[in-house]
């Protein structure tokens, strides 16, 4: 309730008390709440330190995904797309808790943000071979998103972007 009312500092304090619960699920919810509160506070240094601690100590894939996403979001906002890409890859691949993990929306958003990182890196690339490589990665990421989450909120946009970034040879072969 405090978080929803943008009272992030009060919410963070409350969530911090929950992180000490002996019940793992409750402690994990508290940790996720602290991360979201620090994001809401726009406390970049506090968020980074807390998320790095979570990434080095937590074992639950959902917490690892949330922490990696938060760091990826911070890097994305700073336009450090290479660092953001690496964090989203970590989130999507290493910390994917799978279906029923309760964080499908976080995973879906991480995939979309990963695709956006590839778009930004593609726009900045000068070398043709590098552009081709990044374009293929963008297409693959957006395709995976549209297939993995067929009723997700990014499905239509992801499907269109997947086609946009397909390799030119693939497009030519489809026209034959």
């Amino acid at each position: 309730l405090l978080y929803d009312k943008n009272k992030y500092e009060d919410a963070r304090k409350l969530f911090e008390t929950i992180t000490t619960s002996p019940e793992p699920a409750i402690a994990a919810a508290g940790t996720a709440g602290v991360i979201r509160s620090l994001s809401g506070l726009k406390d970049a240094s506090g968020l980074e330190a807390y998320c790095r601690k979570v990434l080095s100590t937590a074992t639950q894939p959902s917490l690892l995904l949330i922490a990696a996403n938060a760091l990826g979001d911070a890097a994305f906002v700073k336009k450090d797309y290479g660092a953001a890409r690496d964090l989203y890859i970590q989130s999507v691949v290493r910390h994917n808790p799978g279906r029923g993990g309760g964080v499908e929306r976080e995973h879906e958003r991480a995939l979309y943000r990963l695709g956006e990182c590839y778009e930004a890196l593609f726009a900045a690339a000068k070398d043709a071979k590098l552009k081709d490589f990044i374009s293929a990665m963008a297409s693959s990421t957006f395709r995976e998103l549209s297939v993995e989450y067929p009723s997700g909120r990014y499905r239509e946009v992801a499907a269109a972007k997947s086609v946009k970034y397909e390799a030119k040879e693939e497009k030519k072969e489809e026209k034959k």
Side-chain angles (χ1 to χ4, degrees):
L1 198 59
L2 292 170
Y3 182 85
D4 292 336
K5 292 182 179 181
N6 297 334
K7 295 184 177 182
Y8 301 121
E9 184 59 34
D10 293 336
R12 182 190 59 77
K13 289 175 184 173
L14 179 62
F15 285 127
E16 282 180 346
T17 64
I18 297 171
T19 63
T20 60
S21 171
E23 182 63 41
I26 293 171
T31 301
V34 171
I35 291 170
R36 289 188 175 106
S37 297
L38 289 169
S39 292
L41 284 167
K42 300 191 185 334
D43 178 0
S45 62
L47 177 67
E48 183 172 352
Y50 193 80
C51 287
R52 296 260 179 235
K53 181 180 121 189
V54 169
L55 288 172
S56 67
T57 60
T59 57
Q60 302 97 322
S62 59
L63 278 182
L64 296 168
L65 179 125
I66 290 167
N69 279 0
L71 288 175
D73 292 345
F76 191 90
V77 167
K78 293 178 190 172
K79 298 185 186 320
D80 186 352
Y81 300 115
R85 175 203 57 212
D86 294 346
L87 287 157
Y88 290 129
I89 287 172
Q90 190 179 85
S91 176
V92 167
V93 178
R94 289 185 60 207
H95 307 313
N96 180 1
R99 297 283 184 206
V103 290
E104 288 86 3
R105 287 205 104 121
E106 283 285 324
H107 184 260
E108 177 189 12
R109 192 178 64 72
L111 266 172
Y112 187 74
R113 277 300 189 110
L114 176 58
E116 289 183 315
C117 288
Y118 285 127
E119 285 184 303
L121 292 168
F122 176 83
K126 305 288 186 235
D127 180 73
K129 286 186 180 187
L130 180 59
K131 278 183 113 48
D132 286 347
F133 174 76
I134 295 170
S135 179
M137 296 306 294
S139 179
S140 174
T141 300
F142 286 124
R143 186 177 312 111
E144 180 181 348
L145 177 60
S146 64
V147 170
E148 187 78 20
Y149 296 97
S151 59
R153 59 184 163 176
Y154 302 110
R155 180 186 53 84
E156 290 180 20
V157 173
K161 287 183 177 192
S162 168
V163 172
K164 175 183 175 183
Y165 289 104
E166 277 181 357
K168 291 170 182 44
E169 294 83 37
E170 290 177 22
K171 290 180 183 177
K172 287 178 187 174
E173 287 178 22
E174 286 177 8
K175 290 181 182 178
K176 289 180 182 179

